[in-house]
Amino acid sequence: MNIMSIIFFVSIIAVIYFLFYYYFYRRYIKKLDVSLKARRLLSVSLFCFIYLPILPFFFMTHSGPLLDTFVWVAYTALGFVIILFPVSVARDAAIGIYSLIKKLNRRFSNNTMEDKPDVVSEDAISRRQFLVKSNYVLMGVMALSEVYGNTQVNKPPTLFSHIVPIPHLPTEFDGFKIAQISDIHIGPTIKRDYLAQVVAQVNELKPDMVAITGDLVDGTVANLKSDIAPLQELQSTYGTYFITGNHEYYSGVSEWIEELSRLGVKTLMNSHDVIRRPAITIKKQGRKKWANLVIAGVPDIGEGPRSGKHPYEPETAIEGVPENDVKILLAHQPRDLERTWKAGYDLQLSGHTHGGQFFPWNFAVKLIYTYSKGFHLYQNKMWVNVNRGTGYWGPPMRLGVPSEVTLLTLTRGPRVTGQVNRKG
């Protein structure tokens, strides 16, 4: 990510945060019956609290216990703001609708004109008192929600299991198990111990292969080399495959691809690997016959092309692959599904969305993505699984959306809604 991109990104965030600041000042501070000095002090405190989460973007290439603690505090502040904001807006909308209904009732009522000014004045006082009291209630409830959400991120990820029926799956791959992890975001607030826990959980599944669908890290190889080391302990029959997410491009993508290769993780970059098993009918014209399963991968659809290094080309990723082979695509973002479907893939594994990560933003992501989480059948032909994120990003919290490790089991059969099991 070049300096101009960083400046543009931070500028947009700064504007958004100013809107947050202005809203909370108008709704939470201006309504208080306090002295001018107290109001100014609260305004400065609010400004610092709102803008605190911007600062970690300037320290992405640095690390250390003190800095990591600061980032945790900053992201906790961010979490409080972005869960309180939509709830407060919903409260204001409800008050506005209620006030509008009262005004309309008054207009069509039999009250005299002389009575209306007093009624309106009383309503204004009542509304102001309600706002102040409800502000305290909302802040208390949101604070408790954040504390609860913080306890959830330290728990082991929830295991989601899916059966993936594919009509032309070779019999030799019936029961083939894929463990998917995504969006762990090893960095200032997620460390080696958490990754080691995830690796142990994946190994217990005894998968045939492991897929890491991007956003593995938030930081440089130099700072996170030790924290990422448990990846080399992943165990599967055919190895671990990785694709870049958008955050790898903020963290030194070339260095990370090299480091992951050293740890035994293969990066797929508009390329594929063929997993082969001896066919049950092993003789054909005196030669051994093989059954194939194609694993392809593409870079992040946004940052890959923007980097100028890695175009997003799912068609290129399977060049030379026979049409009838079963093809699985690892793609960080669940976007451009029609293109993937038309390219002939049978299954796409994605992440990126975090499932919204916490209430109420889990509802907002549904407006952005066709599939924001879970297991789906696209156009009655291609399966799509969107991992909710094995870790988290930003605010150290999950609320209503658990972190996820996915186990997908391929089976030969018609494409009907697969069996879905959720295990804690």
Side-chain angles (χ1 to χ4, degrees):
M1 195 175 189
N2 60 46
I3 187 64
M4 292 306 297
S5 297
I6 293 175
I7 291 173
F8 176 75
F9 177 73
V10 172
S11 298
I12 294 297
I13 295 297
V15 171
I16 293 172
Y17 283 9
F18 175 77
L19 295 177
F20 282 153
Y21 168 78
Y22 182 74
Y23 171 80
F24 284 118
Y25 172 78
R26 296 274 301 181
R27 272 288 176 256
Y28 281 79
I29 293 179
K30 196 173 181 181
K31 300 296 181 184
L32 292 175
D33 186 15
V34 295
S35 67
L36 180 61
K37 183 177 181 180
R39 182 172 283 111
R40 287 176 177 172
L41 180 61
L42 288 171
S43 299
V44 172
S45 300
L46 175 65
F47 183 88
C48 294
F49 188 79
I50 293 289
Y51 277 89
L52 187 64
I54 287 183
L55 296 180
F57 289 106
F58 295 98
F59 303 112
M60 290 181 67
T61 58
H62 298 78
S63 184
L66 187 60
L67 182 58
D68 291 347
T69 300
F70 168 76
V71 172
W72 187 92
V73 172
Y75 281 152
T76 298
L78 174 62
F80 184 79
V81 169
I82 61 179
I83 62 174
L84 180 60
F85 176 73
V87 174
S88 297
V89 170
R91 185 272 315 268
D92 293 346
I95 292 175
I97 293 171
Y98 177 73
S99 298
L100 179 61
I101 292 173
K102 288 191 70 173
K103 286 180 181 179
L104 291 174
N105 284 339
R106 219 178 270 126
R107 177 172 294 181
F108 296 105
S109 69
N110 294 323
N111 291 340
T112 64
M113 292 296 296
E114 290 79 12
D115 291 337
K116 287 183 180 179
D118 293 335
V119 173
V120 171
S121 177
E122 290 176 6
D123 282 352
I125 295 172
S126 177
R127 181 179 177 183
R128 182 189 183 98
Q129 292 174 341
F130 175 78
L131 276 171
V132 172
K133 291 179 180 179
S134 64
N135 284 343
Y136 291 134
V137 172
L138 287 181
M139 286 192 293
V141 172
M142 293 303 103
L144 290 174
S145 297
E146 185 163 24
V147 170
Y148 174 76
N150 181 259
T151 66
Q152 300 306 296
V153 299
N154 296 315
K155 292 183 176 181
T158 299
L159 174 64
F160 288 82
S161 298
H162 308 290
I163 304 298
V164 187
I166 300 175
H168 60 290
L169 180 75
T171 304
E172 293 79 5
F173 287 98
D174 195 15
F176 189 90
K177 295 192 295 183
I178 302 172
Q180 181 193 3
I181 55 179
S182 189
D183 301 89
I184 303 179
H185 291 281
I186 302 298
T189 61
I190 300 180
K191 298 296 184 180
R192 180 190 180 106
D193 289 347
Y194 185 81
L195 180 59
Q197 176 181 255
V198 170
V199 168
Q201 185 175 354
V202 169
N203 289 344
E204 286 180 3
L205 301 175
K206 295 180 169 47
D208 291 293
M209 64 161 278
V210 178
I212 306 175
T213 47
D215 280 9
L216 177 63
V217 293
D218 271 315
T220 62
V221 171
N223 291 333
L224 300 177
K225 192 172 185 177
S226 174
D227 291 305
I228 209 75
L231 280 184
Q232 64 190 332
E233 303 300 326
L234 280 170
Q235 299 170 8
S236 64
T237 308
Y238 296 99
T240 302
Y241 294 92
F242 170 76
I243 53 162
T244 55
N246 52 307
H247 281 249
E248 273 72 45
Y249 291 91
Y250 313 147
S251 306
V253 64
S254 299
E255 292 81 2
W256 273 116
I257 291 174
E258 183 178 342
E259 176 63 15
L260 290 173
S261 178
R262 190 185 70 81
L263 295 175
V265 178
K266 182 171 184 177
T267 300
L268 296 172
M269 188 69 68
N270 293 317
S271 60
H272 68 268
D273 233 5
V274 179
I275 296 175
R276 294 182 171 181
R277 284 181 171 177
I280 294 174
T281 304
I282 59 175
K283 287 189 177 181
K284 183 180 182 182
Q285 298 178 346
R287 299 176 62 184
K288 195 170 186 178
K289 185 179 179 183
W290 297 90
N292 298 334
L293 181 67
V294 179
I295 312 298
V298 289
D300 178 69
I301 192 172
E303 293 303 323
R306 268 194 290 271
S307 72
K309 301 177 181 178
H310 305 142
Y312 178 85
E313 299 175 342
E315 300 87 359
T316 301
I318 50 172
E319 279 186 354
V321 172
E323 184 178 349
N324 291 331
D325 280 2
V326 172
K327 295 175 279 293
I328 299 171
L329 179 68
L330 312 186
H332 179 60
Q333 298 192 40
R335 290 168 53 189
D336 214 357
L337 297 179
E338 185 171 0
R339 182 177 177 182
T340 308
W341 163 61
K342 287 181 177 179
Y345 287 95
D346 299 280
L347 170 65
Q348 176 171 322
L349 303 182
S350 297
H352 184 67
T353 68
H354 295 222
Q357 193 165 309
F358 46 80
F359 173 87
W361 296 101
N362 52 321
F363 296 107
V365 296
K366 293 180 181 180
L367 304 176
I368 302 173
Y369 296 95
T370 303
Y371 305 129
S372 62
K373 63 180 179 180
F375 187 60
H376 308 272
L377 184 59
Y378 181 77
Q379 298 286 16
N380 293 316
K381 183 180 179 183
M382 183 181 74
W383 293 105
V384 179
N385 186 70
V386 184
N387 185 289
R388 294 163 177 81
T390 309
Y392 61 87
W393 181 83
M397 60 180 296
R398 279 191 173 270
L399 199 61
V401 184
S403 55
E404 174 176 343
V405 167
T406 318
L407 180 65
L408 301 111
T409 304
L410 308 186
T411 186
R412 185 180 176 90
R415 285 188 179 92
V416 294
T417 303
Q419 176 184 350
V420 179
N421 297 316
R422 172 177 167 178
K423 302 176 183 178

